[in-house]
Amino acid sequence: MDLTHFDETGRARMVDVSAKEETDREAVARGKIIMKQETLERIRMGQIAKGDVLAVAQVAGIMGAKQTSQLIPMCHPLAITGAKLSFDFEEPDGISIEARVKVSGKTGVEMEALTAVSIAALTIYDMCKAIDKTMTIQEIYLAEKRGGKSGHFIRG
Amino acid sequence: MDLTHFDETGRARMVDVSAKEETDREAVARGKIIMKQETLERIRMGQIAKGDVLAVAQVAGIMGAKQTSQLIPMCHPLAITGAKLSFDFEEPDGISIEARVKVSGKTGVEMEALTAVSIAALTIYDMCKAIDKTMTIQEIYLAEKRGGKSGHFIRG
Amino acid sequence: MDLTHFDETGRARMVDVSAKEETDREAVARGKIIMKQETLERIRMGQIAKGDVLAVAQVAGIMGAKQTSQLIPMCHPLAITGAKLSFDFEEPDGISIEARVKVSGKTGVEMEALTAVSIAALTIYDMCKAIDKTMTIQEIYLAEKRGGKSGHFIRG
Amino acid sequence: MDLTHFDETGRARMVDVSAKEETDREAVARGKIIMKQETLERIRMGQIAKGDVLAVAQVAGIMGAKQTSQLIPMCHPLAITGAKLSFDFEEPDGISIEARVKVSGKTGVEMEALTAVSIAALTIYDMCKAIDKTMTIQEIYLAEKRGGKSGHFIRG
Amino acid sequence: MDLTHFDETGRARMVDVSAKEETDREAVARGKIIMKQETLERIRMGQIAKGDVLAVAQVAGIMGAKQTSQLIPMCHPLAITGAKLSFDFEEPDGISIEARVKVSGKTGVEMEALTAVSIAALTIYDMCKAIDKTMTIQEIYLAEKRGGKSGHFIRG
Amino acid sequence: MDLTHFDETGRARMVDVSAKEETDREAVARGKIIMKQETLERIRMGQIAKGDVLAVAQVAGIMGAKQTSQLIPMCHPLAITGAKLSFDFEEPDGISIEARVKVSGKTGVEMEALTAVSIAALTIYDMCKAIDKTMTIQEIYLAEKRGGKSGHFIRG
């Protein structure tokens, strides 16, 4: 079982996908950030009053998806055709993040979805770190992937 | 307890640190990525034979630290003065990542260290995803922080 | 009448254009910058002698068009297939700027053309600000747009 | 009266500020975007209900300020120490934008403030263009500048 | 014989390739870096022991290929479909670098391949400059190019 | 003799310069590009007529200097305080390029100067490649370096 990202001499490369079919592809990634209960409460209040942390994290996640190939060395540049993020409060102390990214291309957008979740989580951390330094980013994983030769993957 | 990243009308802002002292600062962040045992084995073999996943992740993490202020919306641009990453195999199925970042500046480098860990973890995911789609990024947190008014923080 | 850039919960998203047709598209944007008459005179002299402000603004505008999706959060990344800028002196105190951008893609290049004009205007400002701090950027708008489902738009 | 951005042979250069004093500097820029009354109404509703256009524009403006030296060719890279944007509804059809940027540095942040306003205006355009293609960006100018040898400038 | 990168008024532009055919294209570029014999020896030792300069240069070259259109003003953005670099020791004092880049697009990837070689060479310089300031980058050229209307080019 | 860019386990790192003195530093790099005589003639004509290749290369080189730390993995981000490029025709078939970059910082700007020369040379290549595919970039090296503990270096 070989890592396709290396050539026969062991050097890293961007895998050649020239011969792959251009198809509609979609990936869904998830993650969460755990924090003090009062930090969660403060973020929730911002939703209904002033200072919406998640609105900033949303923008950061989507912009992050677009920077993926500049961040992950062997990742192909892709003209993504759609991206959205959603957040859910997980009582009493967590926020779950889901990113859904689409492309019509020769390779998938798993990394774009995972990067969007990661950058959104880091942004929540940044905006709350003055009141809570002990937040932890947890369980970032690929939840689903459609399109391409490998077919439909759903994490069990 | 206020979120400093919002002004009095509830709009996000980059906090004004003009009046803060320029001091030597350091931050240490940690995280890990959990995978199938055979994926871990494959990465370890790359260390001693061909195809070193962690060498690529190392470069990606350090470059990621330098892009932090372009990724995290309210983060100050900082001319970091040093950055390093280390990886440890955690038997039987995990790799832990530690990033240590330094700066002489008016604000800290927590986000740079956390971003370095996140991008390194995402890079490991990218390079191994052809053989393992079920990897999970776990427990990214700030481990330590020195310098600045808030003093020395060590996560308990 | 809905803003398509928000989902049903009110969160910003990059609109899903996966199902849209890939067609040839073009957009033309215009703007101007007003300045002291002697500043205009100085720029004009650079055209024929030394120090061509508009040559620098031209390059900046074209490079700006290519960075559009990194600047405008919900903008799709697009592989533009052509971009040009032109400048006209508007006596006695203005320079008008026109950008024309093309793409073969699933969505239009209005933002690329508007960004090119904006960055070119800002560059003129930057290069002349030592002699004129009162320049004003004016009337940046979409002049024309072809291709895609919404058809040919010409600003009246 | 010379344009400092050119050398003696007429070639553009980044002005040498090595010998300038590092001082606290601040710049304020303003601009506006004019639109149909119903577009303005739609944006205002987003403020109190779902779909906050200005929250996205705010983030874009601040991130734009940080990319200034990558966009404006002869602009010095600066580690800005603070940035904020505010928006005001100007009845019946305009939104005014103000950006305030700070730095401790050898040169000013006029371009950062002007870029923040420009990118925020472009983002409003992008998010509303599906319902209004005739918006116009207007009157972007430097309103105020403090610090450095040239002293306090207030546009009359 | 005209330079296509200028319009009829002499202004630089990004050439309009909208009407060109989308075909599979490939470019190969080469270059080398000359250094002291002991520097070469030190790099070679890193290959088999600790501190692999070429592993870092490899990653930098591939990431550089992806940034080409952000660096070269009139270069079209392209979603490259593959990139690899190889290095060879040229006794007694040189390292040759070859980059091979692919795309399915309307224009070629010569600049991407040349940029990859250049950034890889600069990275070797950076990592060895503490022990050898006299390294010289030499003979960067396009070796081969396939696809597109101009056909197969091989440098004689 | 050790490569400082690696830690004791052989992993690449950004060297810690926190303890280094902040001083005025300057670096000068040179390079050239060799081409057909008619290509050189064509570029020279652009200087006096329409289509100034070197004006574009100048802007690209200066912007390239500012992107150095995003391109060269272990390079420190630096707020450069000045940058200029000059070009000389070397009869009958070459153009020499010189970049001069300054900073007040804890580490030098050799890489910024070398990157500026490289990007300027690549830009000349890009703009003339339609008429000459056999251009070669030659002899990029550090010519001079001032400031910092290692003192004044002039290449013999």
Side-chain angles (χ1 to χ4, degrees), chain E residues 41-62:
Chain E
E41 196 49 40
R42 182 59 193 81
I43 293 176
R44 191 206 313 275
M45 278 167 45
Q47 298 289 98
I48 51 174
K50 287 177 177 175
D52 189 350
V53 168
L54 302 185
V56 179
Q58 182 117 8
V59 174
I62 288 171

Side-chain angles (χ1 to χ4, degrees), chain D residues 24-39:
Chain D
D24 286 342
R25 294 157 190 270
E26 183 173 12
V28 181
R30 294 201 189 103
K32 65 178 72 169
I33 179 165
I34 308 300
M35 59 192 69
K36 292 183 194 159
Q37 295 190 26
E38 55 264 41
T39 309

Side-chain angles (χ1 to χ4, degrees), chain D residues 9-152:
Chain D
T9 68
R11 287 286 173 206
R13 64 177 169 191
M14 190 193 297
V15 176
D16 183 358
V17 298
S18 308
K20 291 177 75 174
E21 200 182 354
E22 191 152 319
T23 60
D24 286 342
R25 294 157 190 270
E26 183 173 12
V28 181
R30 294 201 189 103
K32 65 178 72 169
I33 179 165
I34 308 300
M35 59 192 69
K36 292 183 194 159
Q37 295 190 26
E38 55 264 41
T39 309
L40 186 72
E41 195 48 40
R42 182 60 193 78
I43 293 175
R44 191 206 311 278
M45 278 165 47
Q47 298 290 99
I48 51 173
K50 288 176 176 178
D52 189 348
V53 167
L54 301 185
V56 179
Q58 182 117 7
V59 174
I62 288 171
M63 294 185 87
K66 291 191 280 186
Q67 286 195 257
T68 301
S69 71
Q70 306 279 358
L71 294 168
I72 311 299
M74 302 303 145
C75 214
H76 295 83
L78 287 173
I80 59 177
T81 51
K84 57 185 199 175
L85 268 88
S86 59
F87 299 93
D88 275 299
F89 290 99
E90 301 218 333
E91 299 304 333
D93 62 359
I95 295 174
S96 66
I97 308 168
E98 183 182 281
R100 193 172 283 269
V101 180
K102 290 188 173 183
V103 77
S104 305
K106 287 169 181 279
T107 183
V109 280
E110 300 95 301
M111 295 317 302
E112 281 73 8
L114 289 161
T115 301
V117 168
S118 300
I119 300 299
L122 289 166
T123 299
I124 294 174
Y125 189 100
D126 179 49
M127 299 199 68
C128 298
K129 70 180 192 293
I131 61 170
D132 186 356
K133 284 183 179 44
T134 62
M135 289 168 283
T136 304
I137 298 171
Q138 285 287 19
E139 282 172 65
I140 298 180
Y141 65 93
L142 179 67
E144 192 177 345
K145 170 176 157 31
R146 288 169 194 274
K149 213 175 60 183
S150 67
H152 194 173

Side-chain angles (χ1 to χ4, degrees), chain E residues 1 3 6 8 10 50-52 67 70 111 114 122 125-126 131 134 136-140 142 155, chain F residues 1 3 6 8 10 50-52 67 70 72 111 122 125-126 131 134 136-140 142 155:
Chain E
M1 193 167 54
L3 294 182
F6 294 99
E8 56 290 354
K50 287 177 177 175
D52 189 350
Q67 285 194 258
Q70 306 279 357
M111 294 318 301
L114 288 161
L122 288 166
Y125 189 100
D126 180 48
I131 60 170
T134 62
T136 305
I137 297 171
Q138 285 286 17
E139 283 173 63
I140 297 182
L142 180 67
R155 174 136 169 180
Chain F
M1 194 167 53
L3 295 181
F6 294 99
E8 57 290 353
K50 288 176 176 174
D52 189 349
Q67 285 194 258
Q70 306 279 357
I72 311 299
M111 295 318 301
L122 288 166
Y125 190 100
D126 180 48
I131 61 171
T134 62
T136 304
I137 298 171
Q138 285 286 19
E139 283 174 64
I140 298 180
L142 179 68
R155 175 137 167 179

Side-chain angles (χ1 to χ4, degrees), chain C residues 1 3 6 8 10 50-52 67 70 72 111 122 125-126 131 134 136-140 142 155, chain D residues 1 3 6 8 10 50-52 67 70 72 111 122 125-126 131 134 136-140 142 155:
Chain C
M1 193 169 52
L3 295 181
F6 294 99
E8 57 289 354
K50 288 176 176 176
D52 189 349
Q67 285 195 258
Q70 307 279 357
I72 312 300
M111 295 317 302
L122 288 167
Y125 189 99
D126 179 48
I131 61 171
T134 62
T136 304
I137 298 171
Q138 285 286 18
E139 283 173 64
I140 297 180
L142 180 68
R155 174 134 168 181
Chain D
M1 193 168 53
L3 295 181
F6 294 99
E8 56 290 353
K50 288 176 176 178
D52 189 348
Q67 286 195 257
Q70 306 279 358
I72 311 299
M111 295 317 302
L122 289 166
Y125 189 100
D126 179 49
I131 61 170
T134 62
T136 304
I137 298 171
Q138 285 287 19
E139 282 172 65
I140 298 180
L142 179 67
R155 174 136 168 179

